[in-house]
């Protein structure tokens, strides 16, 4: 199995997990508010469908992709919210069918995308594997919001390695998007997976280090938790700064989450 096949299999599992959670919800369940301000469950699913459709256009239809970019440029501050809110107004059955179709079409397009080529995106161009990883990250992160809205504990598996890897790879981006110069020094990151395995990145003798639970790290880089509520430990000034601004998704700096008040 190739790396792309591996990521796509995990993306399919993550999508199926979320679909099983919402498929039998009554109308009121779809209208339940999530931790994302202004978004209910339907809005979240609509956003995932819209983004999967956009990724499919980027991979298969340059004219359709260019039209999406022009539409986003016309209202860059509200384009994502507008698409999600409009899509979320649909009947739940229609919305679920739309997302199911978008997921399937995107997986097929990525599986057949020419190796070594990159597709356009809202940030840097992406390979098929990078796009699949980004779609996994967003599906997983938004799924957490739906779980929280419905009061259901999420399934925690080693599939989150894709999110952890993306979080490590986007360290420089997190500094840049906050107007800071990315450190040139390499970092060592050691994370304990849900299974108990140890996942590591970077040289073992690095002076800038981050250690802790992989699940906490993934929550942090998707901005689903405040740093003070994690088990993560940073050594070194730059490593400490990173954990305060970590962000693995494209766009301007996210607002993050407030510390828990237990």
């Amino acid at each position: 199995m190739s790396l792309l096949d591996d990521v796509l299999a995990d993306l399919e599992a993550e999508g199926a997990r979320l679909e099983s959670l919402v498929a039998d919800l009554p109308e009121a369940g779809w209208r339940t508010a999530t931790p994302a301000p202004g978004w209910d469950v339907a809005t979240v699913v609509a956003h995932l469908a819209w983004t999967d459709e956009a990724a499919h256009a980027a991979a298969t239809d340059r004219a359709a992709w260019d039209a999406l970019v022009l539409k986003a440029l016309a209202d860059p501050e509200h384009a994502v919210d507008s698409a999600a809110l409009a899509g979320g107004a649909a009947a739940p059955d229609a919305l679920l069918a739309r997302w199911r179709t978008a997921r399937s079409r995107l997986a097929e397009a990525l599986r057949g995308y020419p190796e070594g080529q990159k597709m356009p995106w809202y940030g840097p161009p992406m390979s098929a594997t990078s796009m699949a990883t980004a779609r996994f990250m967003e599906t997983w992160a938004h799924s957490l919001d739906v779980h929280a809205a419905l009061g259901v504990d999420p399934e925690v598996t080693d599939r989150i390695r894709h999110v952890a890897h993306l979080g490590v790879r986007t360290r420089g981006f997190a500094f840049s998007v906050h107007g800071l110069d990315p450190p040139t020094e390499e970092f060592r990151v050691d994370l304990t997976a849900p299974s108990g395995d140890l996942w590591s990145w970077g040289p073992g003798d690095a002076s800038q280090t981050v250690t802790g639970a992989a699940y906490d790290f993934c929550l942090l880089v998707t901005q689903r938790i405040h740093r003070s509520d994690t088990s993560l430990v940073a050594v070194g000034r730059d490593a400490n700064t990173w954990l305060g601004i970590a962000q693995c998704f494209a766009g301007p700096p996210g607002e993050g989450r407030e510390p828990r008040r237990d």
Side-chain angles (χ1 to χ4, degrees), residues 10-245:
D10 286 347
L11 174 57
E12 181 180 1
E14 205 64 37
R17 166 66 179 164
L18 178 54
E19 180 175 337
S20 70
L21 182 64
V22 302
D24 295 326
L25 286 177
E27 176 74 22
W30 284 87
R31 305 307 164 191
T32 305
T34 73
W39 285 25
D40 58 19
V41 170
T43 311
V44 170
V45 175
H47 173 67
L48 291 175
W50 175 82
T51 315
D52 285 342
E53 291 164 352
H56 181 268
T60 65
D61 189 336
R62 188 55 185 260
W65 167 250
D66 288 345
L68 284 172
V69 172
L70 289 174
K71 189 172 182 178
L73 289 174
D75 188 12
E77 198 172 326
H78 304 104
V80 172
D81 269 358
S82 295
L85 292 168
D93 286 349
L95 177 54
L96 196 58
R98 176 190 173 192
W99 181 44
R100 189 182 298 123
T101 298
R103 283 163 31 218
S104 175
R105 294 180 71 215
L106 176 60
E108 182 180 359
L110 294 181
R111 196 170 281 113
Y113 200 76
E115 188 174 354
Q117 293 187 22
K118 293 188 176 183
M119 65 195 74
W121 194 237
Y122 295 104
M126 304 178 78
S127 67
T129 301
S130 294
M131 179 60 79
T133 302
R135 297 309 308 133
F136 178 91
M137 176 275 295
E138 191 169 31
T139 301
W140 178 80
H142 284 296
S143 175
L144 294 175
D145 295 341
V146 175
H147 279 80
L150 300 178
V152 178
D153 291 333
E155 178 186 30
V156 182
T157 74
D158 278 10
R159 292 195 297 265
I160 63 171
R161 183 183 176 92
H162 305 302
V163 182
H165 179 70
L166 191 60
V168 172
R169 290 289 300 274
T170 54
R171 186 190 72 229
F173 166 76
F175 277 84
S176 296
V177 79
H178 284 84
L180 302 173
D181 292 330
T184 57
E185 183 181 358
E186 292 195 73
F187 287 28
R188 174 72 173 192
V189 179
D190 290 311
L191 303 174
T192 304
S195 65
D197 289 348
L198 182 65
W199 298 338
S200 299
W201 294 263
D205 60 353
S207 61
Q208 304 285 335
T209 66
V210 171
T211 57
Y215 185 62
D216 284 0
F217 180 78
C218 293
L219 292 174
L220 186 70
V221 299
T222 56
Q223 298 196 353
R224 261 59 186 181
I225 197 172
H226 191 273
R227 178 187 174 181
S228 64
D229 295 319
T230 74
S231 64
L232 301 172
V233 176
V235 175
R237 184 184 65 183
D238 290 336
N240 269 289
T241 299
W242 179 33
L243 293 192
I245 60 174

